[in-house]
Coordinates of all heavy atoms in Angstrom, one line a residue:
M1 N 8.4 27.8 85.6 CA 9.0 27.1 84.4 C 8.8 28.1 83.2 O 7.8 28.6 83.0 CB 8.2 25.8 84.2 CG 8.6 25.1 82.9 SD 7.8 23.6 82.5 CE 6.2 24.3 81.8
S2 N 9.9 28.2 82.5 CA 9.8 28.9 81.2 C 9.4 28.0 80.1 O 10.0 27.0 79.8 CB 11.2 29.4 80.9 OG 11.2 29.9 79.6
K3 N 8.2 28.4 79.5 CA 7.7 27.5 78.4 C 8.6 27.6 77.2 O 8.7 26.6 76.5 CB 6.3 28.0 78.1 CG 5.3 27.6 79.1 CD 3.9 27.9 78.7 CE 2.9 27.5 79.8 NZ 1.9 26.7 79.3
V4 N 9.3 28.7 77.0 CA 10.2 28.9 75.8 C 11.3 27.9 76.0 O 11.7 27.2 75.0 CB 10.7 30.3 75.7 CG1 11.8 30.4 74.6 CG2 9.5 31.3 75.4
I5 N 11.9 27.8 77.2 CA 13.0 26.9 77.4 C 12.6 25.5 77.3 O 13.2 24.6 76.7 CB 13.7 27.2 78.8 CG1 14.4 28.6 78.7 CG2 14.7 26.1 79.1 CD1 15.0 29.1 80.0
A6 N 11.4 25.2 77.9 CA 10.9 23.8 77.8 C 10.7 23.4 76.4 O 11.0 22.3 76.0 CB 9.6 23.7 78.6
E7 N 10.2 24.3 75.5 CA 9.9 24.0 74.1 C 11.3 23.8 73.4 O 11.4 22.9 72.6 CB 9.2 25.1 73.4 CG 7.7 25.2 73.9 CD 6.9 24.0 73.4 OE1 7.1 23.4 72.3 OE2 6.0 23.5 74.2
K8 N 12.3 24.6 73.7 CA 13.6 24.4 73.1 C 14.2 23.0 73.5 O 14.8 22.4 72.7 CB 14.5 25.5 73.4 CG 14.1 26.8 72.6 CD 15.1 27.9 72.8 CE 14.8 29.1 72.0 NZ 15.8 30.1 71.9
L9 N 14.1 22.7 74.8 CA 14.6 21.4 75.2 C 13.9 20.3 74.5 O 14.5 19.3 74.1 CB 14.4 21.2 76.7 CG 15.4 22.0 77.6 CD1 14.9 22.0 79.1 CD2 16.8 21.4 77.5
S10 N 12.6 20.4 74.3 CA 11.7 19.4 73.7 C 12.1 19.3 72.2 O 11.9 18.3 71.5 CB 10.2 19.7 73.8 OG 9.9 19.7 75.1
A11 N 12.6 20.4 71.6 CA 13.1 20.4 70.2 C 14.5 19.9 70.0 O 15.0 19.8 68.9 CB 12.9 21.8 69.6
G12 N 15.2 19.5 71.1 CA 16.5 18.9 71.0 C 17.7 19.9 71.3 O 18.8 19.5 71.2
Y13 N 17.4 21.1 71.6 CA 18.4 22.1 71.9 C 19.1 21.7 73.2 O 18.5 21.2 74.1 CB 17.9 23.5 72.0 CG 17.6 24.1 70.7 CD1 16.3 24.0 70.2 CD2 18.5 24.7 69.9 CE1 15.9 24.5 68.9 CE2 18.2 25.2 68.6 CZ 16.9 25.1 68.2 OH 16.6 25.6 67.0
I14 N 20.4 21.9 73.2 CA 21.2 21.6 74.4 C 21.6 22.9 75.0 O 22.1 23.9 74.4 CB 22.5 20.8 74.0 CG1 22.1 19.5 73.4 CG2 23.4 20.6 75.2 CD1 23.3 18.7 72.8
F15 N 21.4 23.0 76.3 CA 21.8 24.2 77.1 C 23.0 23.8 77.9 O 23.0 22.8 78.5 CB 20.6 24.7 78.0 CG 19.5 25.3 77.2 CD1 18.5 24.6 76.7 CD2 19.4 26.7 77.1 CE1 17.5 25.1 75.9 CE2 18.4 27.3 76.3 CZ 17.4 26.5 75.8
G16 N 23.9 24.8 78.1 CA 25.1 24.4 78.8 C 26.1 25.6 79.1 O 25.8 26.7 78.6
D17 N 27.1 25.2 79.8 CA 28.2 26.1 80.1 C 29.5 25.3 80.0 O 29.8 24.5 80.9 CB 28.1 26.7 81.5 CG 29.2 27.6 81.9 OD1 30.2 27.7 81.2 OD2 29.1 28.2 83.0
A18 N 30.2 25.4 78.9 CA 31.4 24.6 78.7 C 32.5 24.8 79.7 O 33.2 23.9 80.1 CB 31.9 24.8 77.3
D19 N 32.6 26.0 80.2 CA 33.6 26.3 81.2 C 33.4 25.5 82.5 O 34.4 25.1 83.1 CB 33.7 27.8 81.5 CG 34.1 28.6 80.3 OD1 34.8 28.1 79.4 OD2 33.8 29.9 80.2
N20 N 32.2 25.4 82.9 CA 31.8 24.7 84.1 C 31.4 23.2 83.9 O 31.1 22.5 84.8 CB 30.7 25.4 84.9 CG 31.2 26.7 85.4 OD1 32.3 26.9 85.8 ND2 30.3 27.7 85.3
E21 N 31.5 22.8 82.6 CA 31.1 21.4 82.2 C 29.7 21.0 82.7 O 29.5 20.0 83.3 CB 32.1 20.4 82.7 CG 33.5 20.6 82.1 CD 34.6 19.7 82.6 OE1 34.2 18.6 83.1 OE2 35.7 19.9 82.4
E22 N 28.7 22.0 82.5 CA 27.3 21.7 82.9 C 26.5 21.7 81.6 O 26.6 22.7 80.8 CB 26.9 22.7 83.8 CG 27.5 22.7 85.2 CD 27.1 23.8 86.1 OE1 26.8 24.9 85.6 OE2 27.0 23.5 87.3
Y23 N 25.6 20.7 81.4 CA 24.8 20.6 80.2 C 23.4 20.0 80.6 O 23.4 19.2 81.5 CB 25.4 19.7 79.1 CG 26.7 20.1 78.7 CD1 27.9 19.6 79.3 CD2 26.9 21.1 77.7 CE1 29.2 20.0 78.9 CE2 28.1 21.5 77.3 CZ 29.3 21.0 77.9 OH 30.5 21.4 77.5
I24 N 22.4 20.6 80.0 CA 21.0 20.0 80.2 C 20.4 19.8 78.8 O 20.5 20.7 77.9 CB 20.1 20.9 81.0 CG1 20.7 21.1 82.4 CG2 18.7 20.5 81.0 CD1 19.9 22.0 83.3
Y25 N 19.9 18.6 78.6 CA 19.3 18.3 77.3 C 18.3 17.2 77.4 O 18.2 16.5 78.4 CB 20.3 17.9 76.3 CG 21.2 16.7 76.7 CD1 20.8 15.4 76.4 CD2 22.4 16.9 77.4 CE1 21.6 14.3 76.8 CE2 23.1 15.8 77.8 CZ 22.8 14.5 77.5 OH 23.5 13.4 77.9
L26 N 17.4 17.0 76.4 CA 16.4 16.0 76.4 C 16.9 14.9 75.4 O 17.1 15.2 74.2 CB 15.0 16.6 75.9 CG 13.9 15.6 75.9 CD1 13.4 15.2 77.3 CD2 12.8 16.1 75.1
P27 N 17.1 13.7 75.9 CA 17.6 12.6 75.0 C 16.4 12.2 74.0 O 15.2 12.4 74.3 CB 17.8 11.4 75.9 CG 17.8 12.0 77.3 CD 17.0 13.2 77.3
G28 N 16.8 11.8 72.9 CA 15.8 11.4 71.8 C 14.8 10.4 72.2 O 13.7 10.4 71.8
G29 N 15.2 9.5 73.1 CA 14.3 8.5 73.6 C 13.2 9.0 74.5 O 12.2 8.3 74.7
E30 N 13.3 10.2 74.9 CA 12.2 10.8 75.8 C 11.2 11.7 75.0 O 10.3 12.2 75.6 CB 12.9 11.7 76.9 CG 13.7 10.9 77.9 CD 12.9 10.0 78.8 OE1 11.8 10.5 79.2 OE2 13.3 8.9 79.0
V31 N 11.5 11.8 73.7 CA 10.5 12.6 72.9 C 9.2 11.9 72.8 O 9.1 10.7 72.5 CB 11.1 12.9 71.5 CG1 10.2 13.6 70.6 CG2 12.4 13.6 71.6
G32 N 8.1 12.6 73.0 CA 6.8 12.1 72.9 C 6.2 11.3 74.1 O 5.1 10.9 74.0
V33 N 7.0 11.2 75.1 CA 6.5 10.5 76.3 C 5.7 11.5 77.2 O 5.8 12.7 77.1 CB 7.6 9.8 77.2 CG1 8.3 8.7 76.4 CG2 8.5 10.8 77.7
D34 N 4.8 11.0 78.0 CA 3.9 11.8 78.8 C 4.7 12.7 79.8 O 4.4 13.9 80.0 CB 2.9 11.0 79.6 CG 1.9 10.4 78.7 OD1 1.7 10.9 77.6 OD2 1.4 9.3 79.1
N35 N 5.7 12.2 80.5 CA 6.5 12.9 81.4 C 8.0 12.7 81.1 O 8.7 11.9 81.7 CB 6.3 12.4 82.9 CG 4.9 12.7 83.3 OD1 4.4 13.8 83.2 ND2 4.2 11.6 83.7
P36 N 8.5 13.5 80.1 CA 9.9 13.4 79.7 C 10.9 13.7 80.8 O 10.7 14.6 81.6 CB 10.0 14.3 78.5 CG 8.9 15.3 78.7 CD 7.8 14.6 79.4
L37 N 12.0 13.0 80.8 CA 13.1 13.3 81.7 C 14.3 13.8 80.9 O 14.7 13.2 79.9 CB 13.6 12.0 82.4 CG 12.5 11.5 83.4 CD1 13.0 10.1 83.9 CD2 12.2 12.4 84.5
C38 N 14.8 15.0 81.4 CA 16.0 15.6 80.8 C 17.2 15.1 81.5 O 17.1 14.5 82.6 CB 16.0 17.1 80.9 SG 14.7 17.8 79.8
V39 N 18.4 15.2 80.9 CA 19.7 14.8 81.6 C 20.4 16.1 82.0 O 20.6 17.0 81.2 CB 20.5 14.0 80.6 CG1 21.9 13.7 81.2 CG2 19.8 12.7 80.2
L40 N 20.9 16.1 83.2 CA 21.7 17.2 83.7 C 23.1 16.6 83.9 O 23.3 15.6 84.6 CB 21.3 17.7 85.1 CG 22.2 18.6 85.8 CD1 22.6 19.9 85.1 CD2 21.7 18.9 87.2
E41 N 24.1 17.0 83.1 CA 25.5 16.6 83.2 C 26.3 17.6 83.9 O 26.2 18.8 83.5 CB 26.1 16.4 81.8 CG 25.6 15.1 81.1 CD 26.4 14.9 79.8 OE1 27.6 15.3 79.7 OE2 25.8 14.3 78.9
R42 N 27.0 17.2 85.0 CA 27.9 18.1 85.7 C 29.2 17.4 85.9 O 29.3 16.4 86.6 CB 27.3 18.4 87.1 CG 26.3 19.5 87.0 CD 25.9 19.8 88.5 NE 25.1 21.0 88.5 CZ 24.3 21.4 89.4 NH1 24.3 20.6 90.5 NH2 23.6 22.5 89.4
Q43 N 30.2 17.9 85.2 CA 31.6 17.3 85.3 C 31.6 15.8 85.3 O 32.3 15.2 86.1 CB 32.2 17.9 86.6 CG 32.3 19.4 86.6 CD 32.7 20.0 87.9 OE1 32.7 19.4 88.9 NE2 33.0 21.3 87.8
G44 N 31.0 15.3 84.3 CA 31.0 13.8 84.1 C 29.9 13.0 84.7 O 29.6 11.9 84.3
S45 N 29.2 13.5 85.7 CA 28.1 12.8 86.3 C 26.8 13.2 85.7 O 26.7 14.3 85.2 CB 28.0 13.0 87.8 OG 27.7 14.3 88.1
K46 N 25.8 12.2 85.6 CA 24.6 12.5 85.0 C 23.4 12.3 86.0 O 23.5 11.4 86.8 CB 24.4 11.6 83.8 CG 25.3 11.8 82.7 CD 25.1 10.9 81.5 CE 26.1 11.2 80.4 NZ 25.9 10.3 79.2
E47 N 22.4 13.1 85.8 CA 21.2 13.1 86.7 C 20.0 13.3 85.9 O 20.0 14.1 85.0 CB 21.3 14.1 87.8 CG 20.2 14.3 88.7 CD 20.4 15.4 89.7 OE1 21.5 15.9 89.9 OE2 19.4 15.8 90.3
D48 N 18.9 12.6 86.1 CA 17.6 12.8 85.4 C 16.8 13.8 86.1 O 16.7 13.8 87.3 CB 16.8 11.5 85.3 CG 17.5 10.4 84.4 OD1 18.3 10.8 83.5 OD2 17.2 9.2 84.6
L49 N 16.2 14.7 85.3 CA 15.3 15.7 85.8 C 14.0 15.8 85.0 O 14.1 15.7 83.8 CB 16.0 17.1 85.7 CG 17.3 17.4 86.5 CD1 17.8 18.8 86.1 CD2 17.0 17.3 88.0
P50 N 12.9 16.0 85.6 CA 11.7 16.2 84.8 C 11.8 17.5 84.0 O 12.6 18.4 84.4 CB 10.6 16.4 85.9 CG 11.1 15.8 87.2 CD 12.6 16.0 87.0
L51 N 11.1 17.6 82.9 CA 11.3 18.7 82.0 C 11.1 20.0 82.7 O 11.8 21.0 82.4 CB 10.3 18.5 80.8 CG 10.3 19.6 79.8 CD1 11.7 19.7 79.1 CD2 9.2 19.4 78.7
E52 N 10.1 20.1 83.6 CA 9.8 21.4 84.2 C 11.0 21.8 85.1 O 11.4 22.9 85.2 CB 8.5 21.3 85.1 CG 7.2 21.0 84.3 CD 7.1 19.5 84.0 OE1 7.7 18.6 84.6 OE2 6.3 19.3 83.0
E53 N 11.5 20.8 85.9 CA 12.7 21.1 86.7 C 13.9 21.5 85.9 O 14.7 22.4 86.3 CB 13.0 19.9 87.6 CG 14.0 20.2 88.7 CD 14.1 19.0 89.7 OE1 13.1 18.2 89.8 OE2 15.2 18.9 90.3
A54 N 14.1 20.8 84.8 CA 15.2 21.1 83.9 C 15.1 22.5 83.4 O 16.1 23.2 83.3 CB 15.3 20.1 82.7
S55 N 13.9 23.0 83.0 CA 13.7 24.3 82.5 C 14.1 25.3 83.6 O 14.8 26.3 83.3 CB 12.3 24.5 82.1 OG 12.0 25.8 81.8
D56 N 13.7 25.0 84.8 CA 14.1 25.9 86.0 C 15.6 25.9 86.2 O 16.2 27.0 86.5 CB 13.3 25.5 87.2 CG 11.9 25.7 87.2 OD1 11.4 26.5 86.4 OD2 11.1 25.1 88.0
M57 N 16.2 24.8 86.1 CA 17.7 24.7 86.3 C 18.4 25.5 85.2 O 19.5 26.1 85.5 CB 18.1 23.3 86.3 CG 17.8 22.5 87.5 SD 18.6 23.1 89.0 CE 20.3 22.6 88.7
V58 N 17.9 25.5 84.0 CA 18.6 26.2 82.9 C 18.6 27.7 83.3 O 19.7 28.4 83.2 CB 17.8 26.0 81.5 CG1 18.2 27.1 80.5 CG2 18.1 24.6 81.0
Q59 N 17.5 28.2 83.8 CA 17.4 29.6 84.3 C 18.3 29.8 85.5 O 19.0 30.8 85.6 CB 16.0 30.0 84.5 CG 15.2 30.2 83.3 CD 13.8 30.6 83.6 OE1 13.1 30.0 84.4 NE2 13.4 31.7 82.9
H60 N 18.2 28.9 86.5 CA 19.0 29.1 87.7 C 20.5 29.1 87.4 O 21.2 29.9 88.1 CB 18.6 28.0 88.7 CG 19.3 28.0 90.0 ND1 19.1 28.9 91.0 CD2 20.3 27.2 90.4 CE1 19.9 28.7 91.9 NE2 20.7 27.7 91.7
L61 N 20.9 28.2 86.6 CA 22.4 28.1 86.3 C 22.8 29.1 85.2 O 24.0 29.1 84.9 CB 22.7 26.7 85.9 CG 22.5 25.6 87.0 CD1 22.7 24.2 86.4 CD2 23.4 25.9 88.2
S62 N 21.9 29.8 84.6 CA 22.2 30.8 83.5 C 22.8 30.1 82.3 O 23.8 30.6 81.8 CB 23.0 31.9 84.0 OG 22.4 32.7 85.0
L63 N 22.3 28.9 82.0 CA 22.8 28.2 80.8 C 22.3 28.8 79.5 O 21.2 29.3 79.5 CB 22.4 26.7 81.0 CG 22.9 26.0 82.2 CD1 22.5 24.6 82.2 CD2 24.4 26.1 82.4
R64 N 23.1 28.6 78.5 CA 22.7 29.2 77.2 C 22.8 28.0 76.1 O 23.4 27.0 76.4 CB 23.7 30.2 76.7 CG 23.9 31.4 77.7 CD 22.7 32.3 77.4 NE 22.9 33.5 78.3 CZ 21.9 33.9 79.1 NH1 20.8 33.2 79.2 NH2 22.1 34.9 79.9
P65 N 22.1 28.1 75.0 CA 22.2 27.1 74.0 C 23.7 27.0 73.6 O 24.4 28.0 73.5 CB 21.4 27.7 72.8 CG 20.4 28.5 73.5 CD 21.1 29.2 74.6
C66 N 24.2 25.7 73.5 CA 25.6 25.5 73.2 C 25.8 24.2 72.5 O 24.8 23.5 72.1 CB 26.3 25.5 74.6 SG 26.0 24.0 75.5
S67 N 27.0 23.9 72.3 CA 27.4 22.6 71.6 C 28.0 21.7 72.7 O 28.9 22.1 73.4 CB 28.5 22.9 70.5 OG 28.8 21.8 69.9
H68 N 27.4 20.5 72.7 CA 27.9 19.5 73.7 C 29.1 18.8 73.1 O 29.2 18.6 71.9 CB 26.8 18.5 73.9 CG 27.0 17.5 74.9 ND1 27.8 16.3 74.7 CD2 26.7 17.4 76.2 CE1 27.8 15.6 75.8 NE2 27.2 16.2 76.7
P69 N 30.1 18.5 73.9 CA 31.4 17.9 73.4 C 31.1 16.6 72.6 O 31.9 16.3 71.6 CB 32.2 17.6 74.6 CG 31.6 18.2 75.7 CD 30.2 18.6 75.3
L70 N 30.1 15.8 72.9 CA 29.9 14.5 72.2 C 28.7 14.6 71.3 O 28.6 14.0 70.2 CB 29.7 13.4 73.1 CG 30.9 13.1 74.0 CD1 30.5 12.0 75.0 CD2 32.1 12.6 73.2
L71 N 27.6 15.4 71.7 CA 26.3 15.3 70.9 C 26.3 16.4 69.9 O 25.4 16.4 69.0 CB 25.2 15.5 71.9 CG 25.1 14.4 73.0 CD1 24.0 14.8 74.0 CD2 24.7 13.1 72.3
G72 N 27.1 17.5 70.0 CA 27.0 18.6 69.1 C 25.9 19.6 69.6 O 25.7 19.8 70.8
K73 N 25.3 20.3 68.6 CA 24.3 21.4 69.0 C 22.9 20.8 69.3 O 22.2 21.5 70.0 CB 24.2 22.4 67.8 CG 25.5 23.2 67.6 CD 25.2 24.3 66.7 CE 26.5 25.1 66.5 NZ 26.6 26.2 67.4
R74 N 22.6 19.6 68.9 CA 21.2 19.1 69.2 C 21.4 17.7 69.8 O 22.3 17.0 69.4 CB 20.4 19.0 67.9 CG 20.3 20.3 67.1 CD 19.2 21.2 67.6 NE 17.8 20.7 67.6 CZ 16.9 20.9 66.6 NH1 17.3 21.6 65.6 NH2 15.8 20.4 66.7
S75 N 20.5 17.3 70.6 CA 20.6 16.0 71.3 C 19.9 14.9 70.4 O 20.1 13.7 70.7 CB 19.9 16.1 72.7 OG 18.5 16.4 72.6
F76 N 19.2 15.3 69.4 CA 18.6 14.3 68.5 C 18.3 14.9 67.2 O 18.4 16.1 67.0 CB 17.3 13.6 69.0 CG 16.2 14.6 69.5 CD1 15.3 15.0 68.5 CD2 16.2 15.1 70.7 CE1 14.3 15.8 68.9 CE2 15.2 15.9 71.1 CZ 14.2 16.3 70.2

């Protein structure tokens, strides 16, 4: 797990790839909870991922900070 990516997710940054319609972000309601769940969006479907797994997926999918079509640059 990349601590830098996990910290950026915790700060509300959205990672994604607009061409492939893939986004990972931490919803505002998960801020401050013991085991936060991030959202992985892929072509319209959504899946919950623990923060550690989401951080790994950002690296695996080579996602970069981006702007989400509905949320903008930050998730909260």
Side-chain angles (χ1 to χ4, degrees):
M1 173 183 81
S2 168
K3 290 188 180 229
V4 172
I5 292 173
E7 289 294 323
K8 286 187 176 189
L9 284 168
S10 296
Y13 287 91
I14 298 171
F15 288 84
D17 179 354
D19 293 337
N20 293 322
E21 297 179 18
E22 295 177 322
Y23 302 94
I24 294 180
Y25 58 90
L26 182 72
E30 293 291 317
V31 175
V33 299
D34 291 333
N35 297 308
L37 294 175
C38 293
V39 174
L40 167 63
E41 284 187 29
R42 281 188 168 159
Q43 300 171 347
S45 67
K46 295 182 181 181
E47 177 183 344
D48 291 336
L49 298 174
L51 181 60
E52 297 82 19
E53 190 176 333
S55 176
D56 292 339
M57 286 296 288
V58 167
Q59 289 182 307
H60 178 74
L61 297 173
S62 299
L63 303 179
R64 303 279 182 236
C66 71
S67 182
H68 187 277
L70 298 175
L71 301 173
K73 291 189 179 272
R74 303 279 297 265
S75 61
F76 55 89

